[in-house]
Amino acid sequence: MPTPQFSDFVSIRDFSKDQIISILRRAAQMVPYASGEKRTDAMRGRILGTLFYEPSTRTRLSFESAMLRLGGSVTGFSTPAGTSVEKGETLSDTVRMTEAYTDALVIRHPLEGAARLAADISSKPVINAGDGAGQHPTQTILDLFTIQEAKGRIEGLNIVLVGDLRFGRTVHSLAEALSLFGANITLIAPPSLQMPRDVIAQIESNGVKPKTSASLEEAVADADILYVTRIQKERFADAAEYAKLSGSYRIDTKLLAHARSTLSVMHPLPRVNEIAPEVDRTEHSLYFKQAANGVPVRMAILSMILGAEI
Ligand code: CP
């Protein structure tokens, strides 16, 4: 049995640039397996546990597809409703039990730090599928994969992150990874939804000084990637505050008239109203391809964390 190449996947901060590059390379090898063009049984007899305490479409289903495409099996829950969490079972006990039934766990939880706690408890690998407003590190790998596939590189690209930079976990781990790769980062957010200070500090410690901008029109003019995020309604304590901010940004063809023809628009999805459907039909739209890349990227992560040879 090949040796696992890492033990858990909790935070992008746990990975060096070289390790991320090796995951991206493995993901490229997984593409024909992810599409079904090639077949593998590398994970036969292995079981992935999926513990989703928060809603998901892309992350949960692409992890399931990834494990099935690798020849493995999946068990788990898509909501705590109907599980013993409803009877008051703690996260610790749920992890202790489900690790006994599986070979690795994927966890999404509303509390920041939940995946780290699960990894500390579990003797089996734990993968963070989003912890509150913390990180979403496997999304980051698929974002990097998508950027590299579309642009041929990451270094030196002008990448604008716009939307809810405070609660949006995808942009926290993505911004940190982009700084490892030497991208130029511009941040655009309402005053109350700015990027957290610890993320800025991490970006700066990687040698990148992010710019901020108040003008989306100006920022898109020389951007290579416009990465849009949803205002994270579920993280707001005050519904009125959410209502005030929910329409802050809208990407439409009028805005994109200010952009280079090569600008790519990305979004982790789901979108609500921040990208007009008309953008789907333009050459700028990259978000559906980005979501589809979740399967080869998660195949790479699963095969490396479980030590499978393909
Ligand atoms: N990008 C993402 O995490 O999507 P889901 O919430 O649908 O998993």
Side-chain angles (χ1 to χ4, degrees):
M1 184 80 66
T3 318
Q5 295 181 39
F6 34 85
S7 51
D8 296 297
F9 209 100
V10 172
S11 166
I12 208 72
R13 289 185 197 178
D14 299 335
F15 294 85
S16 67
K17 181 179 171 184
D18 283 348
Q19 285 175 308
I20 294 173
I21 288 171
S22 72
I23 302 168
L24 296 174
R25 282 205 190 108
R26 175 70 71 98
Q29 290 164 7
M30 292 300 105
V31 168
Y33 296 96
S35 67
E37 186 191 328
K38 286 187 178 176
R39 292 185 188 275
T40 174
D41 260 346
M43 236 42 131
R44 189 148 54 144
R46 308 281 198 100
I47 301 173
L48 180 67
T50 53
L51 315 182
F52 277 71
Y53 290 79
E54 276 194 334
S56 169
T57 298
R58 279 146 291 273
T59 310
R60 188 174 66 81
L61 297 183
S62 63
F63 261 115
E64 289 192 6
S65 286
M67 191 62 179
L68 297 173
R69 291 288 197 199
L70 288 164
S73 307
V74 183
T75 187
F77 53 83
S78 58
T79 161
T83 76
S84 288
V85 176
E86 286 201 320
K87 302 175 202 161
E89 186 158 50
T90 62
L91 175 62
S92 311
D93 283 359
T94 303
V95 168
R96 277 192 188 96
M97 291 320 310
T98 49
E99 74 156 320
Y101 307 146
T102 60
D103 296 292
L105 295 173
V106 176
I107 179 165
R108 171 170 287 189
H109 197 280
L111 291 180
E112 197 171 331
R116 181 70 70 195
L117 176 74
D120 289 345
I121 292 164
S122 174
S123 60
K124 306 272 175 68
V126 170
I127 301 171
N128 182 3
D131 61 327
Q135 289 215 353
H136 195 348
T138 67
Q139 175 75 41
T140 292
I141 304 294
L142 79 86
D143 292 343
L144 297 176
F145 184 80
T146 304
I147 294 169
Q148 197 161 56
E149 191 180 51
K151 307 294 179 195
R153 67 192 166 101
I154 300 167
E155 188 177 357
L157 291 180
N158 296 332
I159 301 189
V160 178
L161 307 179
V162 60
D164 185 347
L165 306 185
R166 178 182 174 196
F167 295 124
R169 55 195 172 202
T170 64
V171 279
H172 299 164
S173 34
L174 177 60
E176 292 185 10
L178 288 173
S179 64
L180 274 182
F181 282 79
N184 305 311
I185 301 171
T186 301
L187 307 174
I188 303 184
S192 61
L193 298 179
Q194 297 284 316
M195 189 67 95
R197 254 183 258 168
D198 71 300
V199 178
I200 299 279
Q202 186 69 24
I203 295 169
E204 290 182 346
S205 77
N206 290 334
V208 171
K209 181 102 186 118
K211 286 194 282 186
T212 54
S213 175
S215 166
L216 198 47
E217 283 85 356
E218 277 174 27
V220 297
D222 67 348
D224 298 298
I225 300 282
L226 177 62
Y227 192 101
V228 188
T229 61
R230 178 176 64 88
I231 308 291
Q232 307 280 301
K233 183 180 184 183
E234 62 274 32
R235 310 277 174 238
F236 281 76
D238 180 355
E241 181 64 10
Y242 168 74
K244 206 167 74 189
L245 294 168
S246 68
S248 296
Y249 304 102
R250 184 162 168 89
I251 313 306
D252 54 18
T253 50
K254 197 166 148 229
L255 172 81
L256 294 174
H258 297 266
R260 296 171 177 168
S261 61
T262 52
L263 172 82
S264 295
V265 179
M266 296 177 66
H267 191 306
L269 303 177
R271 67 177 151 180
V272 182
N273 52 13
E274 56 280 355
I275 301 180
E278 68 196 21
V279 178
D280 301 358
R281 295 185 295 275
T282 71
E283 72 270 34
H284 300 295
S285 155
L286 193 56
Y287 30 92
F288 293 121
K289 176 68 179 136
Q290 177 187 359
N293 282 337
V295 179
V297 165
R298 291 178 170 125
M299 288 177 79
I301 291 168
L302 289 172
S303 65
M304 292 171 87
I305 214 165
L306 283 167
E309 196 76 71
I310 296 146

